[in-house]
Amino acid sequence: MTNIVNAREAAKLYLASHQIPQMFESLLSCLMIERPEDPVAYVEKKMSEIRAIGVQNVNWETFVRELHPYRNSVRLQHVRDGSKFDKERQILGEEGDGKEKSDYEPDLFKLTEAS
């Protein structure tokens, strides 16, 4: 029994340390929304994007973040409604690099197992 518990804990530690759940959540999120004709080619493309940005920077909304209506770039520039998404916006040009900055942190995926 101890070996099974140790193996299970080792597997969970491996998955967590390599951020495997976040990577798969990210892939599943964009697959469900975009529904590509060739899902294998699509996943290969997204995996190369993950490799480029680093798996440590991936979460469930990596590839679908801009689809959220509150994160629409036009809305973020012009609408001030006090929503929690206003906090993640800084006007373009403040940092001089032309990119939006954000202190927004998505909810983290927690690895669970069925009993």
Side-chain angles (χ1 to χ4, degrees):
M1 181 70 162
T2 303
N3 288 340
I4 293 171
V5 172
N6 289 340
R8 183 178 298 148
E9 291 305 315
K12 287 168 61 174
L13 181 61
Y14 172 82
L15 292 174
S17 68
H18 292 285
Q19 296 175 303
I20 304 299
Q22 293 87 343
M23 183 174 56
F24 277 95
E25 274 194 328
S26 174
L27 293 170
L28 287 173
S29 295
C30 60
L31 280 168
M32 287 188 297
I33 290 173
E34 296 192 27
R35 299 178 187 162
E37 284 266 332
D38 185 352
V40 173
Y42 182 84
V43 168
E44 288 173 341
K45 177 181 177 244
K46 293 300 178 187
M47 289 299 294
S48 68
E49 291 177 33
I50 289 171
R51 191 173 287 117
I53 63 174
V55 72
Q56 70 279 3
N57 297 312
V58 174
N59 60 57
W60 72 269
E61 65 179 7
T62 297
F63 299 115
V64 298
R65 187 170 194 262
E66 297 302 318
L67 298 175
H68 191 289
Y70 277 95
R71 293 194 180 99
N72 175 279
S73 62
V74 174
R75 183 189 193 289
L76 287 172
Q77 279 186 309
H78 301 288
V79 177
R80 306 291 184 268
D81 64 356
S83 72
K84 68 179 185 176
F85 301 101
D86 280 344
K87 295 177 186 173
E88 73 179 70
R89 176 201 25 84
Q90 289 184 351
I91 303 300
L92 295 174
E94 284 181 5
E95 299 293 326
D97 63 1
K99 295 182 180 177
E100 290 182 22
K101 302 294 179 200
S102 173
D103 60 358
Y104 168 77
E105 293 290 329
D107 292 333
L108 292 178
F109 174 81
K110 293 183 181 176
L111 183 63
T112 59
E113 62 184 68
S115 50

